[in-house]
Amino acid sequence: MTTAAIIVAAGRGTRAGGDLPKQWRILRGRPVAAYAMSRFASHPAIAQLILVVHADDIETQAWPREPDATVVAGGATRAASVRAGLDAVGDNIETVLIHDAARPLVNDALIDRVLAALETSDGAAPALAVTDTLWQGADGAVQGVQDRAGLFRAQTPQGFRLAPLRAAHAAATGHETDDVAVARAAGLDVTIVAGDEDNLKITTPEDFDRAERLMRQNMDIRVGNGYDVHRFGPGDHVWLCGVQVPHTRSLQGHSDADVGMHAVTDAIYGALGKGDIGQHFPPSDPQWKGAASHIFLKHAVALAKSEGFEIGNADCTLVCEQPKIGPHQDAMKAVMAAYMGLDSGRISVKATTSERLGFTGREEGIASIATVTLIKT
Ligand code: MG
């Protein structure tokens, strides 16, 4: 069963507060829609990811980047937007999952339940049985009690076999509120699978708070350390944390020998469990001779991003008697922050001597240690 995921993000709703449509508002540092996009992109069963955005957003290219996602312009209604997504589905696809971009907390188990039900059904969708008592009310007073037996709260992703869904959309009247309604109007059976309370749809400002709380509970936090040493040789400057510092000698190395940047880079690789600079940029490879170390740092940052991690902070200590680091500290923080795409408040560069002890004390070289945290929500 080859499956495409269609993320519908073409709405203009601003009920959740702010000036931006809710799917583009920032939730814990990323647009709301980015969460569902990366969840489906990393799910092993999803062969194609389609993002349907508003025509205005197509022009401004205002959507989160997910490599390999197909981005299409939606229509005037939700159904028209879904049809635009269906038009972009590849020839090899047999089933589609249609998901609301405003549900950032969709998880793999929920996606798996929908896919499993599609093995034996033309349609499947998650839902939660209504357990609260349902009132009818008017003017702030209870007017009656509604029978809740057999009532469900519908969620997404809603999954369908592609061919029957396409036929159902072609025959739709335009009055259906979701794809299950479109499918049922065409006579398709839709199986209910267990939904998830956490798979909330962001609608109000309170929903942002709740989503943030839930994401904090599910956070994956990594810590990595890095250590590096370079020896002094002839020269008149050293590169430290991306800043050229005048000195009576230079650090020797295959690259520009930026010992601080190397320690931070290795700390990122360490937190990811993905080796070190030497593995990614072998010294035996002549193309890295004299290379600017920000190439290594940017690679590590991009690797962390591709694994779904954001950098929480980086703390780097330089161990040397000379040169004096203090006058360059702020510039180093600013340069490192720029390379890492972070606020400079999340970067620390500090220095210590080793009380004239050991190789750093004898001024034979400079050592550096660094710690980095990575956060996935
Ligand atoms: Mg090094």
Side-chain angles (χ1 to χ4, degrees):
M1 204 165 65
T2 316
T3 304
I6 300 174
I7 314 273
V8 186
R12 274 289 170 264
T14 51
R15 258 188 300 167
D19 302 329
L20 288 172
K22 60 190 176 185
Q23 68 272 25
W24 304 142
R25 280 197 54 198
I26 299 300
L27 175 64
R28 293 187 71 81
R30 301 167 73 196
V32 168
Y35 292 95
M37 286 174 71
S38 35
R39 177 64 58 203
F40 283 97
S42 65
H43 191 288
I46 304 301
Q48 189 186 8
L49 177 64
I50 297 163
L51 178 70
V52 186
V53 304
H54 194 274
D56 292 350
D57 296 336
I58 282 276
E59 278 161 32
T60 57
Q61 301 211 347
W63 60 80
R65 301 294 141 192
E66 187 67 57
D68 303 331
T70 307
V71 182
V72 298
T77 62
R78 189 184 185 283
S81 293
V82 171
R83 280 198 294 278
L86 289 173
D87 288 345
V89 169
D91 292 336
N92 59 330
I93 298 294
E94 295 158 88
T95 55
V96 288
L97 299 180
I98 299 167
H99 185 69
D100 191 330
R103 292 187 190 268
L105 284 145
V106 59
N107 58 59
D108 286 352
L110 184 63
I111 295 169
D112 290 342
R113 287 200 289 276
V114 176
L115 289 173
L118 284 177
E119 299 279 353
T120 53
S121 179
D122 278 336
L128 293 164
V130 173
T131 53
D132 292 330
T133 296
L134 293 178
W135 289 339
Q136 260 168 339
D139 304 324
V142 178
Q143 307 290 324
V145 178
Q146 196 78 27
D147 184 8
R148 69 178 175 230
L151 291 184
F152 287 84
R153 291 184 285 138
Q155 298 189 332
T156 70
Q158 300 182 345
F160 305 91
R161 291 180 180 273
L162 178 61
L165 182 68
R166 273 188 168 145
H169 264 281
T173 62
H175 297 296
E176 300 85 355
T177 54
D178 69 357
D179 298 287
V180 166
V182 169
R184 291 199 65 256
L188 303 183
D189 285 329
V190 180
T191 301
I192 299 174
V193 303
D196 190 321
E197 276 297 347
D198 290 353
N199 181 30
L200 80 165
K201 180 175 181 176
I202 290 187
T203 309
T204 66
E206 293 71 35
D207 295 332
F208 271 92
D209 297 340
R210 200 178 141 216
E212 282 213 32
R213 277 201 306 277
L214 290 166
M215 285 175 172
R216 267 202 298 274
Q217 287 169 15
N218 301 332
M219 247 191 318
D220 183 357
I221 299 178
R222 305 284 186 86
V223 177
N225 70 64
Y227 175 73
D228 196 29
V229 172
H230 283 267
R231 70 167 68 239
F232 279 124
D236 61 6
H237 67 273
V238 291
W239 284 98
L240 292 172
C241 291
V243 173
Q244 192 177 26
V245 179
H247 191 48
T248 52
R249 281 172 292 172
S250 287
L251 290 173
Q252 296 184 317
H254 192 70
S255 66
D256 63 13
D258 188 332
V259 63
M261 202 176 278
H262 291 181
V264 171
T265 305
D266 269 348
I268 298 171
Y269 288 134
L272 291 169
K274 297 250 184 235
D276 56 28
I277 294 176
Q279 263 170 267
H280 293 280
F281 300 93
S284 55
D285 188 337
Q287 69 169 310
W288 309 122
K289 182 153 179 55
S293 295
H294 63 75
I295 295 169
F296 313 151
L297 179 60
K298 285 177 175 171
H299 175 266
V301 171
L303 189 60
K305 267 202 187 332
S306 75
E307 304 254 318
F309 285 98
E310 302 290 327
I311 292 169
N313 75 303
D315 182 15
C316 176
T317 300
L318 299 163
V319 186
C320 59
E321 306 291 332
Q322 294 290 338
K324 291 288 166 229
I325 303 303
H328 306 284
Q329 225 166 359
D330 287 343
M332 290 173 180
K333 285 175 62 167
V335 170
M336 293 292 284
Y339 286 139
M340 298 169 80
L342 292 179
D343 189 285
S344 66
R346 290 178 183 270
I347 308 278
S348 156
V349 177
K350 55 199 195 305
T352 182
T353 71
S354 50
E355 300 281 337
R356 299 235 151 253
L357 297 170
F359 68 89
T360 54
R362 294 189 296 271
E363 298 190 43
E364 293 166 3
I366 297 181
S368 177
I369 62 168
T371 306
V372 167
T373 56
L374 302 183
I375 302 168
K376 189 193 300 199
T377 49

